[in-house]
């Protein structure tokens, strides 16, 4: 059981929190407000700030959302963070990712049938999240050689940062996986 309440829309009394929930329902594309955000409704300013960070990191930018979510899955798996791992695997499935890719993404990444560029992005994001001091100029150059520009590389690092936070937050409050 989560250490903070999961606040449903009809329980909200704060106007800002209601507006954020409505944005999430409209923009996320799954027809629900995830427990991640429901657990933040106790502080509408924090809820709003984290929603904006999530939206600008995952839903906007040049890299495809599915690729950013795969980075998140890799980070969550490495951190043994079940909430984000399960929610984002489900999200990838809902976005049309094949079962074969989802299965091998978590069980046999080396043989996952993804393009080399996508695998490099996922690996770089995982390294940035788990061992940032090990990131070298060669890692950056490898991404550039695969056609990524500095803004796209920045998006990978921002994604790594976001999922590192999500993993720490959801694990520390024992957040329940959403009923999807």
């Amino acid at each position: 059981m989560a250490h903070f309440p999961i606040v449903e829309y009809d329980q909200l009394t704060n106007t800002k929190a209601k507006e954020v929930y409505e944005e999430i329902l409209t923009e996320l594309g799954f027809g629900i407000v995830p427990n991640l955000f429901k657990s933040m409704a106790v502080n509408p300013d924090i809820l709003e700030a984290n929603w904006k960070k999530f939206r600008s990191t995952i839903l906007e930018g040049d890299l495809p959302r599915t690729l950013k979510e795969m980075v998140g899955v890799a980070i969550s798996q490495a951190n043994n963070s079940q909430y984000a791992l399960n929610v984002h695997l489900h999200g990838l499935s809902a976005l049309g990712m094949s079962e074969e890719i989802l299965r091998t993404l978590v069980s046999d990444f080396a043989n996952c049938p993804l393009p080399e560029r996508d695998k490099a992005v996922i690996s770089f994001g995982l390294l940035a999240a788990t061992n940032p001091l090990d990131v070298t100029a060669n890692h950056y150059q490898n991404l550039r050689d695969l056609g990524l520009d500095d803004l796209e590389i920045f998006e990978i690092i921002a994604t790594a940062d976001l999922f590192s936070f999500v993993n720490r937050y959801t694990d520390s409050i024992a957040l329940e996986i959403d009923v999807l």
Side-chain angles (χ1 to χ4, degrees), residues 57-120:
T57 303
I58 302 301
L59 303 182
E60 299 171 359
D62 293 328
L63 290 178
R65 174 182 178 176
T66 53
L67 186 53
K68 293 175 193 177
E69 297 231 20
M70 286 190 282
V71 169
V73 164
I75 292 166
S76 300
Q77 182 176 22
N79 289 333
N80 196 28
S81 182
Q82 294 304 302
Y83 178 86
L85 177 64
N86 285 295
V87 168
H88 291 280
L89 281 171
H90 177 78
L92 285 165
S93 178
L95 292 169
M97 185 73 52
S98 78
E99 288 301 317
E100 177 188 12
I101 290 176
L102 294 175
R103 186 178 58 257
T104 57
L105 181 64
V106 295
S107 67
D108 187 13
F109 182 71
N111 292 310
C112 188
L114 289 170
E116 177 186 359
R117 181 181 190 269
D118 290 357
K119 288 173 109 173

Side-chain angles (χ1 to χ4, degrees), residues 12-150:
L12 294 173
T13 57
N14 181 279
T15 303
K16 181 185 286 187
K18 286 182 177 183
E19 290 171 0
V20 173
Y21 274 40
E22 289 165 6
E23 284 181 16
I24 293 169
L25 283 169
T26 301
E27 297 178 33
L28 194 56
F30 296 129
I32 66 164
V33 174
N35 286 347
L36 171 68
F37 298 111
K38 289 177 184 177
S39 70
M40 295 178 186
V42 296
N43 185 323
D45 291 332
I46 297 292
L47 168 65
E48 179 183 45
N50 282 300
W51 163 244
K52 285 181 177 182
K53 182 174 182 173
F54 183 91
R55 179 180 53 202
S56 63
T57 303
I58 302 301
L59 303 182
E60 299 171 359
D62 293 328
L63 290 178
R65 174 182 178 176
T66 53
L67 186 53
K68 293 175 193 177
E69 297 231 20
M70 286 190 282
V71 169
V73 164
I75 292 166
S76 300
Q77 182 176 22
N79 289 333
N80 196 28
S81 182
Q82 294 304 302
Y83 178 86
L85 177 64
N86 285 295
V87 168
H88 291 280
L89 281 171
H90 177 78
L92 285 165
S93 178
L95 292 169
M97 185 73 52
S98 78
E99 288 301 317
E100 177 188 12
I101 290 176
L102 294 175
R103 186 178 58 257
T104 57
L105 181 64
V106 295
S107 67
D108 187 13
F109 182 71
N111 292 310
C112 188
L114 289 170
E116 177 186 359
R117 181 181 190 269
D118 290 357
K119 288 173 109 173
V121 166
I122 295 166
S123 295
F124 181 84
L126 178 61
L127 184 62
T130 58
N131 294 299
L133 296 177
D134 292 344
V135 176
T136 67
N138 288 338
H139 292 109
Y140 282 86
Q141 190 57 51
N142 180 54
L143 293 174
R144 290 182 184 112
D145 291 346
L146 291 168
L148 284 102
D149 62 32
D150 285 347

Side-chain angles (χ1 to χ4, degrees), residues 75 79 128-130 159-169:
I75 292 166
N79 289 333
T130 58
T159 300
D161 172 65
L162 176 71
F163 277 95
S164 296
F165 156 72
V166 167
N167 289 177
R168 286 188 310 272
Y169 175 76

